[in-house]
């Protein structure tokens, strides 16, 4: 702790949290010191106990809304909100995690089979990550950890992926000699969420959190996704990236998310394929009348969204690489329109009275007036909205969001250059 307080880690902390010194760095330093203190208190560890500090960031989806589960292309980025953990091996076969604000979690690694009663819980993710690493020839063992998070639950920044990547990174560093690459850590996290947690997610969230920075990802072969870093200076654009929590509860929406995946796959199945990425688009478009009769309009519209959105994700990366931010914003606006009209994930059909995301989109457009860009963010239905706000309109934008929702519902973010990692230890 003395090294942290004395500034020995300042360069590392500045790099990860994009705080550029000053009060922001002081806050990060204080948070890190507090995490070490909490670990010592909770696990009765003295100053002589050697611990390691880990961090796993939240992510924002910049392009490719619901394309990853169809083996499509996405554009994503890690952000400067993260899960921070102090951890150390405990010499047992049990993982003990104290997450701030939650009861202690204990997972016995002697049983690495899915546990029905653990589904949709953090315990299932820990067990699933350990199980997959064991299948891949490693021997993850027990550790003690304290975890605190600045990734708000329900923020659309994928706290679940950050948690999976954090657990995977801790196992990877402490017990696996870091044999797993960031992409492999992401794949292990996805496996845990699919098989043990019980959610049919794609791979975008975990990859963005594990790899870090702005990344263009092609999931045509999910076992070996093509991940490319995109170098772009967002602060130089004069815009601020904002994520707005709509305030609606996005629990109990697994069926709504699954319906998107299932309907897209039902279209693919008509062509003898498992996912839409493997379907010829020209053939699909020529077959739309027959598909409507067989599957209904919504499945077809969602497939139309996939093909267009898959192209847009590539075009957005190209626009950033060329430094053409205006073209990028135009593509973001087109993505938002497609998600609203064709993908139809701005509210759940099961609860039509709840339309918080369309309300936020309306309020944002009232301020932006055709500048910047705004769109539904992530899974949708009741989650978050993403906006690129011109800095001269930021005060009015924040005021409008507070008036519609409440304080602390609009998060101003920076792109973090590094993914899940060992900070020090």
């Amino acid at each position: 702790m003395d090294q942290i307080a004395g500034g020995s880690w300042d360069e590392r902390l500045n790099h990860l949290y994009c705080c550029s010194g000053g009060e922001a760095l002081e806050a990060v330093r204080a948070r890190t010191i507090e995490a070490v203190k909490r670990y010592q208190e909770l696990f009765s560890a003295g100053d002589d106990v050697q611990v390691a500090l880990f961090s796993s960031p939240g992510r924002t989806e910049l392009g490719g809304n619901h394309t990853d589960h169809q083996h499509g292309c996405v554009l994503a980025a890690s952000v400067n909100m993260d899960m921070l953990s102090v951890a150390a091996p405990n010499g047992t076969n049990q993982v003990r995690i104290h997450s701030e604000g939650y009861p202690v979690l204990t997972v016995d690694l002697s049983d690495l089979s899915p546990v029905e009663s653990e589904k949709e819980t953090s315990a299932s993710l820990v067990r699933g990550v350990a199980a997959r690493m064991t299948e891949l020839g490693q021997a993850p063992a027990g550790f003690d950890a304290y975890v605190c998070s600045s990734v708000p639950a329900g923020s659309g920044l994928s706290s679940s992926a950050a948690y999976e990547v954090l657990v995977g990174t801790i196992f990877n560093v402490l017990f696996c000699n870091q044999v797993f690459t960031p992409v492999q850590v992401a794949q292990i996290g996805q496996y845990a969420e699919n098989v043990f947690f019980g959610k049919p997610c794609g791979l975008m969230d975990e990859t963005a959190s594990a790899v870090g920075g702005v990344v263009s990802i092609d999931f045509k072969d999910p076992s070996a996704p093509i991940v490319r870093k995109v170098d772009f200076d967002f602060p130089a654009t004069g815009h601020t990236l904002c994520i707005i929590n709509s305030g609606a509860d996005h629990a109990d929406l697994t069926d709504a998310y699954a319906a998107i995946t299932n309907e897209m796959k039902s279209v693919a199945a008509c062509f003898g394929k498992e996912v839409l990425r493997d379907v010829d688009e020209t053939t699909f478009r020529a077959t739309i009348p027959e598909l409507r009769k067989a599957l209904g309009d919504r499945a077809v519209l969602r497939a139309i969204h996939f093909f267009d959105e898959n192209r847009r994700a590539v075009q957005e990366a190209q626009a950033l690489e060329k430094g053409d931010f205006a073209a990028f914003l135009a593509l973001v606006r087109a993505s938002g329109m497609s998600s609203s009209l064709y993908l139809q994930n701005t509210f759940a059909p099961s609860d039509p009275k709840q339309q918080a995301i369309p309300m936020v989109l309306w309020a944002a457009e009232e301020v932006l007036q055709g500048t910047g860009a705004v769109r539904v963010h992530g899974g949708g239905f009741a989650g978050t909205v993403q906006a690129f706000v011109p800095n001269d309109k930021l005060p009015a934008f924040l005021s409008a969001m507070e008036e519609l929702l409440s304080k602390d519902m609009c998060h101003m973010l920076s792109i973090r250059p590094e993914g899940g990692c060992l900070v020090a230890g």
Side-chain angles (χ1 to χ4, degrees):
M1 285 191 292
D2 291 341
Q3 290 183 341
I4 303 172
S8 298
W9 292 2
D10 282 1
E11 184 177 351
R12 180 74 170 137
L13 296 176
N14 268 324
H15 172 72
L16 288 177
Y17 295 98
C18 314
C19 45
S20 302
E23 293 182 6
L25 177 58
E26 288 288 344
V28 170
R29 194 187 293 136
R31 177 177 177 241
T32 305
I33 292 172
E34 179 62 22
V36 176
K37 287 181 178 178
R38 289 292 290 148
Y39 177 91
Q40 292 175 332
E41 292 169 0
L42 291 165
F43 296 103
S44 301
D47 291 334
D48 58 332
V49 175
Q50 187 171 359
V51 298
L53 188 69
F54 298 88
S55 172
S56 178
R59 70 92 186 99
T60 183
E61 167 200 287
L62 301 177
N65 194 218
H66 280 281
T67 54
D68 58 335
H69 51 72
Q70 296 301 300
H71 300 185
C73 299
V74 302
L75 183 68
S78 57
V79 298
N80 60 334
M81 286 182 168
D82 75 330
M83 287 192 173
L84 181 69
S85 177
V86 180
N90 60 24
T92 75
N93 210 31
Q94 289 191 337
V95 172
R96 298 188 299 173
I97 300 177
H98 281 265
S99 293
E100 183 181 19
Y102 293 91
V104 62
L105 172 71
T106 301
V107 179
D108 189 340
L109 301 183
S110 60
D111 179 6
L112 293 179
S113 302
V115 177
E116 185 65 28
S117 62
E118 284 183 350
K119 280 196 171 182
E120 300 189 15
T121 70
S122 298
S124 69
L125 298 176
V126 175
R127 196 180 304 278
V129 169
R132 185 59 179 151
M133 288 184 167
T134 301
E135 289 175 359
L136 294 172
Q138 297 301 308
F143 64 83
D144 293 334
Y146 170 72
V147 177
C148 59
S149 177
S150 61
V151 184
S155 65
L157 301 175
S158 197
S159 57
S160 61
Y163 189 84
E164 293 158 25
V165 169
L166 180 67
V167 171
T169 302
I170 293 172
F171 276 135
N172 194 29
V173 171
L174 296 184
F175 306 108
C176 306
N177 296 313
Q178 301 188 62
V179 298
F180 297 112
T181 67
V183 171
Q184 288 173 320
V185 170
Q187 292 170 322
I188 290 166
Q190 183 203 25
Y191 172 88
E193 188 157 353
N194 288 173
V195 178
F196 283 69
F197 187 89
K199 181 179 178 181
C201 70
L203 188 55
M204 178 189 72
D205 295 351
E206 291 84 356
T207 304
S209 180
V211 175
V214 179
V215 286
S216 175
I217 314 168
D218 186 338
F219 290 115
K220 185 173 179 60
D221 179 0
S223 66
I226 299 172
V227 181
R228 184 167 52 85
K229 289 264 192 176
V230 177
D231 187 21
F232 185 76
D233 185 0
F234 270 100
T237 66
H239 287 69
T240 297
L241 169 60
C242 294
I243 298 294
I244 306 98
N245 186 342
S246 69
D249 185 3
H250 72 315
D252 300 323
L253 287 173
T254 299
D255 289 346
Y257 297 132
I260 292 178
T261 303
N262 293 338
E263 289 179 13
M264 287 186 178
K265 286 188 173 182
S266 72
V267 174
C270 291
F271 300 91
K273 307 294 183 181
E274 290 189 5
V275 293
L276 286 174
R277 181 65 181 272
D278 295 332
V279 175
D280 177 73
E281 184 180 358
T282 300
T283 304
F284 159 74
R285 290 184 178 275
T287 318
I288 284 177
E290 290 82 358
L291 292 172
R292 291 181 64 195
K293 293 176 183 177
L295 303 175
D297 289 339
R298 192 173 72 172
V300 176
L301 287 168
R302 284 175 164 172
I304 290 171
H305 166 84
F306 167 80
F307 286 112
D308 290 342
E309 186 75 352
N310 196 49
R311 267 190 300 275
R312 269 191 295 267
V314 175
Q315 293 166 350
E316 285 170 334
Q318 293 171 343
L320 292 181
E321 288 173 325
K322 293 176 182 177
D324 191 345
F325 194 60
F328 170 79
L329 291 178
L331 289 163
V332 172
R333 289 191 289 269
S335 172
M337 182 67 71
S338 180
S339 291
S340 295
L341 292 180
Y342 310 136
L343 183 61
Q344 300 178 31
N345 69 331
T346 58
F347 67 93
S350 60
D351 186 12
K353 289 185 178 180
Q354 183 283 108
Q355 298 199 19
I357 286 179
M359 286 300 304
V360 173
L361 293 171
W362 165 79
E365 291 285 11
E366 285 284 291
V367 176
L368 294 177
Q369 292 291 307
T371 64
V374 60
R375 64 190 275 271
V376 64
H377 178 253
F381 295 114
T384 57
V385 168
Q386 179 188 74
F388 294 89
V389 183
N391 289 341
D392 61 347
K393 292 188 175 182
L394 187 59
F397 188 87
L398 296 175
S399 178
M401 293 302 109
E402 183 175 332
E403 182 178 347
L404 178 67
L405 303 167
S406 65
K407 288 184 177 180
D408 303 321
M409 299 295 273
C410 182
H411 306 286
M412 295 176 288
L413 304 176
S414 296
I415 304 299
R416 165 171 155 156
E418 189 173 344
C421 63
L422 171 68
V423 179

